Amino acid sequence: RHPRRYRPDLKLCLVIMISPAVHASPRHTLDVLGAGAKMVSACVEDATKALELARASSMPRPGTTAQRKSRVQCPTCGLGDLEPGQLFAHYSLFHVTEPSPDASCPLCGLVCRGGKGFVNFAAHLEEAHEPQGTDEDGDKFLSSGEIMAMAAREKVTVSRFQDLAPSAKGVEDPSAAYAAYALLAVRRPSDGKFLMVLESAHTSNCRGQPRYWLPAGKAAPGETTVEAAIASCLRDTNVKVTPKGLIRILLEPSENASLRVVLYAEPDEVQPKRLKAVPSFHSAGAAWVSAQDLVDLRPDEFRNADPRVLFPGLASGTTRVERFGSTWDALEATVRDLGLTPPGDELKMKRREMIPEQWIAIAKRYPEIAFKERDFLSRSSRR
């Protein structure tokens, strides 16, 4: 039966839709999730992994009376008798496609809710209560495999201290580390389809619902934007890509001088994993779509309108892709240098001296795609 509305009685159930057709359709995927499913997959193997994680994260474990007193209840579905590490894994699988609850954190008591000056529970749980040793590869992002390994351990240490200073999303501090961001428009040459990420509901600008967007990420210290794009895409979609060129280079016209680039990329012929389907804090899945598939989605079902602007232009050939070159390489070297410079006076000096010099060269080499703007759409809307 075609799903029409959310069923509250499914909150405690791990409902998985296994269907290649639904998984391939952004419209059907959102409909199924909206009706109460937690996950959409094209194959049984991914569903089996999710069920294994559900068992490890949601089933009560033996323990002494003292140990059981320290256990907590999920504020979204009410499932109780969870160890702190289990709550982290349980939420990442069961609830990242739902609105975060307005509730006190069961681990530290912090009041979590939507609205200015507050932090939502899912973001707080992810940022303040990540179990120690979960991030095995040290990339500061947790895969479903890492969460599964953590949930299977008998002893897991989780901080229960309160974080009283939630970060202001979208606000950058000029005294903080240098920030550079990369967005990817990934097109598969074999069929012309594009890659989209299904962002988790608590992600900035998703407003409590899973929404589609481009693979994107922030460069880590010492990382270039191209390296950040490759790593972020692999984390959020399981797709390994090779960037081929530049679509936009944007410099924020402020003291921050943050860099935002839109890259064109193609998937590698040999892929290490299947397309992502098991949800996690960072994304609820991914899909290959045609430009026509976007017509089936409402504007508010995208985290940002970038795919609706980029994909048709790339499909028709009207969006230009510039090649990398020595000028671009010099800018990437600057990004790496600034990223490795600790926040402080030295970084401020480098930012004032290095960015303007590099930007003159970039604007001269790429006059059609280099702009002083905060985001891609602010420029695209005028074209």
PDB file of all heavy atoms in Angstrom, residues 359-367 370:
ATOM      1  N   TRP A 359      43.708  35.355  -4.436  1.00  0.00           N
ATOM      2  CA  TRP A 359      42.421  35.621  -5.084  1.00  0.00           C
ATOM      3  C   TRP A 359      42.596  36.421  -6.367  1.00  0.00           C
ATOM      4  O   TRP A 359      41.850  36.230  -7.334  1.00  0.00           O
ATOM      5  CB  TRP A 359      41.472  36.337  -4.135  1.00  0.00           C
ATOM      6  CG  TRP A 359      40.092  36.402  -4.699  1.00  0.00           C
ATOM      7  CD1 TRP A 359      39.442  37.494  -5.202  1.00  0.00           C
ATOM      8  CD2 TRP A 359      39.196  35.296  -4.878  1.00  0.00           C
ATOM      9  NE1 TRP A 359      38.198  37.147  -5.668  1.00  0.00           N
ATOM     10  CE2 TRP A 359      38.022  35.804  -5.475  1.00  0.00           C
ATOM     11  CE3 TRP A 359      39.270  33.946  -4.574  1.00  0.00           C
ATOM     12  CZ2 TRP A 359      36.935  34.989  -5.787  1.00  0.00           C
ATOM     13  CZ3 TRP A 359      38.186  33.134  -4.878  1.00  0.00           C
ATOM     14  CH2 TRP A 359      37.047  33.656  -5.474  1.00  0.00           C
ATOM     15  N   ILE A 360      43.555  37.317  -6.412  1.00  0.00           N
ATOM     16  CA  ILE A 360      43.813  38.071  -7.643  1.00  0.00           C
ATOM     17  C   ILE A 360      44.155  37.105  -8.779  1.00  0.00           C
ATOM     18  O   ILE A 360      43.646  37.227  -9.907  1.00  0.00           O
ATOM     19  CB  ILE A 360      44.952  39.084  -7.419  1.00  0.00           C
ATOM     20  CG1 ILE A 360      44.490  40.196  -6.469  1.00  0.00           C
ATOM     21  CG2 ILE A 360      45.408  39.674  -8.751  1.00  0.00           C
ATOM     22  CD1 ILE A 360      45.605  41.136  -6.054  1.00  0.00           C
ATOM     23  N   ALA A 361      44.992  36.117  -8.477  1.00  0.00           N
ATOM     24  CA  ALA A 361      45.387  35.136  -9.491  1.00  0.00           C
ATOM     25  C   ALA A 361      44.204  34.257  -9.898  1.00  0.00           C
ATOM     26  O   ALA A 361      44.010  33.960 -11.087  1.00  0.00           O
ATOM     27  CB  ALA A 361      46.531  34.275  -8.963  1.00  0.00           C
ATOM     28  N   ILE A 362      43.384  33.866  -8.918  1.00  0.00           N
ATOM     29  CA  ILE A 362      42.224  33.016  -9.209  1.00  0.00           C
ATOM     30  C   ILE A 362      41.214  33.769 -10.072  1.00  0.00           C
ATOM     31  O   ILE A 362      40.684  33.232 -11.064  1.00  0.00           O
ATOM     32  CB  ILE A 362      41.567  32.554  -7.889  1.00  0.00           C
ATOM     33  CG1 ILE A 362      42.408  31.461  -7.225  1.00  0.00           C
ATOM     34  CG2 ILE A 362      40.145  32.061  -8.124  1.00  0.00           C
ATOM     35  CD1 ILE A 362      42.387  30.129  -7.923  1.00  0.00           C
ATOM     36  N   ALA A 363      40.918  35.011  -9.722  1.00  0.00           N
ATOM     37  CA  ALA A 363      39.941  35.798 -10.478  1.00  0.00           C
ATOM     38  C   ALA A 363      40.415  36.044 -11.911  1.00  0.00           C
ATOM     39  O   ALA A 363      39.604  36.112 -12.844  1.00  0.00           O
ATOM     40  CB  ALA A 363      39.685  37.123  -9.762  1.00  0.00           C
ATOM     41  N   LYS A 364      41.716  36.153 -12.085  1.00  0.00           N
ATOM     42  CA  LYS A 364      42.254  36.349 -13.434  1.00  0.00           C
ATOM     43  C   LYS A 364      42.194  35.066 -14.247  1.00  0.00           C
ATOM     44  O   LYS A 364      41.846  35.091 -15.438  1.00  0.00           O
ATOM     45  CB  LYS A 364      43.705  36.840 -13.337  1.00  0.00           C
ATOM     46  CG  LYS A 364      44.348  37.141 -14.683  1.00  0.00           C
ATOM     47  CD  LYS A 364      45.760  37.687 -14.493  1.00  0.00           C
ATOM     48  CE  LYS A 364      46.415  38.000 -15.846  1.00  0.00           C
ATOM     49  NZ  LYS A 364      47.790  38.532 -15.667  1.00  0.00           N
ATOM     50  N   ARG A 365      42.511  33.927 -13.615  1.00  0.00           N
ATOM     51  CA  ARG A 365      42.516  32.645 -14.334  1.00  0.00           C
ATOM     52  C   ARG A 365      41.104  32.102 -14.559  1.00  0.00           C
ATOM     53  O   ARG A 365      40.817  31.489 -15.579  1.00  0.00           O
ATOM     54  CB  ARG A 365      43.342  31.623 -13.521  1.00  0.00           C
ATOM     55  CG  ARG A 365      43.246  30.174 -13.988  1.00  0.00           C
ATOM     56  CD  ARG A 365      43.771  29.992 -15.397  1.00  0.00           C
ATOM     57  NE  ARG A 365      43.648  28.599 -15.821  1.00  0.00           N
ATOM     58  CZ  ARG A 365      42.538  28.047 -16.317  1.00  0.00           C
ATOM     59  NH1 ARG A 365      41.435  28.809 -16.451  1.00  0.00           N
ATOM     60  NH2 ARG A 365      42.531  26.789 -16.684  1.00  0.00           N
ATOM     61  N   TYR A 366      40.197  32.331 -13.603  1.00  0.00           N
ATOM     62  CA  TYR A 366      38.840  31.780 -13.693  1.00  0.00           C
ATOM     63  C   TYR A 366      37.792  32.889 -13.582  1.00  0.00           C
ATOM     64  O   TYR A 366      36.962  32.912 -12.666  1.00  0.00           O
ATOM     65  CB  TYR A 366      38.597  30.762 -12.572  1.00  0.00           C
ATOM     66  CG  TYR A 366      39.559  29.603 -12.554  1.00  0.00           C
ATOM     67  CD1 TYR A 366      40.572  29.527 -11.601  1.00  0.00           C
ATOM     68  CD2 TYR A 366      39.434  28.558 -13.456  1.00  0.00           C
ATOM     69  CE1 TYR A 366      41.450  28.449 -11.568  1.00  0.00           C
ATOM     70  CE2 TYR A 366      40.307  27.475 -13.434  1.00  0.00           C
ATOM     71  CZ  TYR A 366      41.317  27.432 -12.490  1.00  0.00           C
ATOM     72  OH  TYR A 366      42.182  26.358 -12.461  1.00  0.00           O
ATOM     73  N   PRO A 367      37.778  33.843 -14.494  1.00  0.00           N
ATOM     74  CA  PRO A 367      36.879  35.001 -14.361  1.00  0.00           C
ATOM     75  C   PRO A 367      35.401  34.646 -14.430  1.00  0.00           C
ATOM     76  O   PRO A 367      34.566  35.385 -13.897  1.00  0.00           O
ATOM     77  CB  PRO A 367      37.289  35.893 -15.540  1.00  0.00           C
ATOM     78  CG  PRO A 367      37.884  34.946 -16.541  1.00  0.00           C
ATOM     79  CD  PRO A 367      38.585  33.917 -15.723  1.00  0.00           C
ATOM     80  N   ALA A 370      34.747  32.543 -10.576  1.00  0.00           N
ATOM     81  CA  ALA A 370      35.277  32.993  -9.290  1.00  0.00           C
ATOM     82  C   ALA A 370      34.564  34.267  -8.850  1.00  0.00           C
ATOM     83  O   ALA A 370      34.566  35.269  -9.563  1.00  0.00           O
ATOM     84  CB  ALA A 370      36.785  33.238  -9.398  1.00  0.00           C
TER      85      ALA A 370
END
